[in-house]
Amino acid sequence: MNAERDLSPLTPGVVRALTDKLYEKRKVAALEIEKLVREFVAQNNTSQIKHVIQILSQEFALSQHPHSRKGGLIGLAACSIALGKDSGLYLKELIEPVLTCFNDADSRLRYYACEALYNIVKVARGSVLPHFNVLFDGLSKLAADPDPNVKSGSELLDRLLKDIVTESNQFDLVGFIPLLRERIYSNNQYARQFIISWILVLESVPDINLLDYLPEILDGLFQILGDNSKEIRKMCEVALGEFLKEIKKNPSSVKFAEMANILVIHCQAADDLIQLTAMCWMREFIQLAGRVMLPYSSGILTAVLPCLSYDDRKKNIKEVANVCNQSLMKLVIPEDDEMDEAKPSVTIPAEPTSEESLSKPEAVTTGESQLPHHGRNELDVTALNQPLFFPCSCERIQVTLNLDGIVQVLDYHLSDTSIGMMTRIAVLKWLYHLYIKTPRKMFRHTDSLFPILLRTLSDESDEVILKDLELLAEIASSPAGQTEEGHGPSDGSDVRPGPVELHVPARAGQLSSSSTKGLECSPSTPTMNSYFYKFMINLLKRFSSERKLLETRGAFIIRQLCLLLNAENIFHSMADILLREEDLKFASTMVHTLNTILLTSSELFQLRNQLKDLKTPESRNLFCCLYRSWCHNPVTTVSLCFLTQNYKHAYDLIQKFGDLEVTVDFLTEVDKLVQLIECPIFTYLRLQLLDVKNNPYLIKALYGLLMLLPQSSAFQLLSHRLQCMPNPELMQTTDNTKPSTSFKRTAASNIDYTELLQHFEKVQNKHLEARHQGAGRAEQLDRRVVL
């Protein structure tokens, strides 16, 4: 055959031995090849060296015959040993055929390939680094080899390569990263272990700055963190921990913006370890990067807010998420409210629209376009997040607050009935914070937020309602919500007809304790802005449509509002609205509720004192306004007269009760009024019973109530009280010149009580007519049922 001529300078004996099935014979042939190559090296005969390597590669290592391939592998290793330090000149030719054998179906052959490459690398040392990527690629495949011997051999080669990389300062990290980024997404446990081990090695080398390329591999690391193997999870935890330590040491060199969305995705992972780790990273990022994270606020909130409602089983995640939430909230500053107009648009672009955000590519390595859990149509998170990679990011990030995206996320979480209580509270705190820090921008969103904030008043949690009321109060009182019209947004249903108008803004200083404050002294000056009246109208509408809310939470809501806003404003506006309420039954119920709050709530002590004396034009104006609405309920009207010490008018009203339809509900309310008279609020009224001579109408009014009552416990109570009045003659004093306070106040009141009494009769006639119409309709229905 032509083997001798074709395969020279290899002798026929060496060729036969190389293809022998016995290892020992192949080894002898390899020693002969080593000796031959040494001679060529001594002669500096590079052409012959190349020829030998080519023969071993083409005719043996890549042969179809398995024994020939084994011979080729050991022969190439022998060449490398013979070449010594010169092997670096021929590494490409030596390595490529060996790596091809890594894919061989025969496990023994793969092992021999591993052994051959080990010998080649051991001799070449640092010279193999230019070929590192192909070596790493081959090793990553062997790491997952099913044969234990092959895996063991690959581990030896792996350790050798790691030693070479560690001791060298010529490692090409830039060229290696694309391969690492590709391999890091392997699902094989052994391949993952191999990848993590290499990342740990590269992290430990001082001359290699892997932190610069962390955005390329961070997503893959978090995916490996979810591996089923505890050992791999632990290795990955260590690697991520080392990266985080490095980030804390050198925050100025970290590409926070490029990793923000990666963390957002993994903060929503179903795996607890991934979620906790990502949340810890997010906490550090927000604290270290500060306002650099602001453009990603909507995505961060999407991830963080649901975690705030976790139970004790996920206590650690909940605590870290809470820190993230608080830290992110602190990044929003008042300057964010002016940045659009205050800075030139050339240097600082305005907030991108949703279309612009969608057109920019997301640079997340997984290629996910939406965040998990909240990728529904209602909330397009991709549109909310700013792109990961863009030039001059620092300059833009420092001034960009994507308020539209943040509000969309907050609105979504508040609207979702399945969201936990703590999340809803956090959302309301966020909205309140935004209205304080960026009121001008936030009022652009008020019309869309208003309905959901009103619905939230029906929440089961008192704490949620309190936060909701704080927010609504801020919206209703913030100077940023003031419009030129002064009465509210242009809404046909909210226009206030009629003669009674509220001029509270003009005299807000007189009504509030902080009278020196002007409109600019927000956050919560007790003045009405454009949304105050709209709020009052919609609140009453809500009470009307949801009577259970009025019964269970009505008093609580109104009392809290009286603390948060000016109580006079609230009662004045509600009375004004109820004056034109078409549902008379609701108007009566609402008036009764407001009256009970007015008479019994400690929060309204100051307002009661103001009404008790009616010394100022404002207090008399308020009394008249309340009176007109209180006429929807006769007994509450009398109680208002008792509170304001209008005893003659109270007596006149009670005289009119004879013309009214006396029902069980009516008598029940009279009973409750008698009980109220015995309360501390009416102490002054009971003491005035001592002055029989100067309070005849008070006594007449009380006797009038007594005559209305059947012989019940309330009757006995009031009867006993009236029996305690002293004899007027015994109570006379020598000083008869001093005029009574009641006459003095009456003279100064300038209130048209005749007109008020006529208004009372008019309103009660409407109620009587409405009741009879209702009874007539009910009777007709009964007849139809009988027929």
Side-chain angles (χ1 to χ4, degrees), residues 751-768:
I751 295 173
D752 187 351
Y753 289 103
T754 304
E755 190 271 333
L756 292 180
L757 194 61
Q758 288 172 355
H759 177 77
F760 174 81
E761 291 175 344
K762 181 180 176 183
V763 172
Q764 285 304 309
N765 285 335
K766 283 184 181 179
H767 277 267
L768 184 63

Side-chain angles (χ1 to χ4, degrees), residues 192-211:
R192 284 180 163 184
Q193 195 169 11
F194 171 77
I195 292 289
I196 293 294
S197 68
W198 267 101
I199 289 173
L200 287 168
V201 167
L202 294 175
E203 272 189 294
S204 66
V205 180
D207 294 333
I208 297 176
N209 187 10
L210 195 57
L211 191 61

Side-chain angles (χ1 to χ4, degrees), residues 743-754:
F743 287 119
K744 244 185 352 181
R745 189 183 59 72
T746 304
S749 63
N750 298 325
I751 295 173
D752 187 351
Y753 289 103
T754 304

Side-chain angles (χ1 to χ4, degrees), residues 706-724:
L706 190 67
M707 295 304 109
L708 287 171
L709 286 168
Q711 303 242 349
S712 59
S713 58
F715 177 91
Q716 298 298 329
L717 189 66
L718 184 56
S719 176
H720 288 157
R721 174 62 68 185
L722 291 171
Q723 287 171 17
C724 293

Side-chain angles (χ1 to χ4, degrees), residues 177-303:
I177 288 297
L179 179 62
L180 179 61
R181 185 177 59 211
E182 177 192 338
R183 287 285 180 266
I184 204 167
Y185 287 106
S186 172
N187 290 322
N188 184 278
Q189 286 189 352
Y190 297 107
R192 284 180 163 184
Q193 195 169 11
F194 171 77
I195 292 289
I196 293 294
S197 68
W198 267 101
I199 289 173
L200 287 168
V201 167
L202 294 175
E203 272 189 294
S204 66
V205 180
D207 294 333
I208 297 176
N209 187 10
L210 195 57
L211 191 61
D212 283 347
Y213 303 94
L214 183 57
E216 305 275 341
I217 61 173
L218 185 62
D219 181 64
L221 282 172
F222 273 107
Q223 294 207 20
I224 292 176
L225 190 61
D227 196 272
N228 294 327
S229 166
K230 288 184 179 179
E231 184 182 353
I232 294 173
R233 288 165 78 99
K234 187 64 182 174
M235 284 177 68
C236 195
E237 267 193 280
V238 172
L240 286 166
E242 290 299 319
F243 274 123
L244 198 54
K245 284 180 188 175
E246 193 68 25
I247 287 170
K248 290 179 184 178
K249 286 180 186 176
N250 306 295
S252 59
S253 62
V254 178
K255 299 173 182 176
F256 291 105
E258 296 181 11
M259 293 183 277
N261 280 352
I262 296 171
L263 293 182
V264 166
I265 289 171
H266 293 290
C267 280
Q268 300 172 87
D271 184 282
D272 287 357
L273 179 59
I274 295 176
Q275 190 177 26
L276 177 60
T277 307
M279 200 66 75
C280 289
W281 274 61
M282 184 67 79
R283 176 190 63 197
E284 299 300 331
F285 271 37
I286 295 170
Q287 292 174 354
L288 292 170
R291 286 176 60 82
V292 172
M293 301 298 288
L294 265 188
Y296 308 93
S297 300
S298 54
I300 295 170
L301 287 174
T302 301

Side-chain angles (χ1 to χ4, degrees), residues 19-51:
T19 58
D20 199 280
K21 63 179 181 180
L22 294 175
Y23 173 75
E24 290 300 325
K25 288 187 178 182
R26 294 198 301 272
K27 187 176 180 181
V28 170
L31 291 172
E32 287 296 322
I33 292 170
E34 182 183 341
K35 182 180 176 182
L36 179 65
V37 172
R38 284 186 191 277
E39 290 174 2
F40 290 147
V41 171
Q43 298 166 7
N44 198 22
N45 192 344
T46 56
S47 61
Q48 283 291 64
I49 295 171
K50 286 182 178 179
H51 187 52

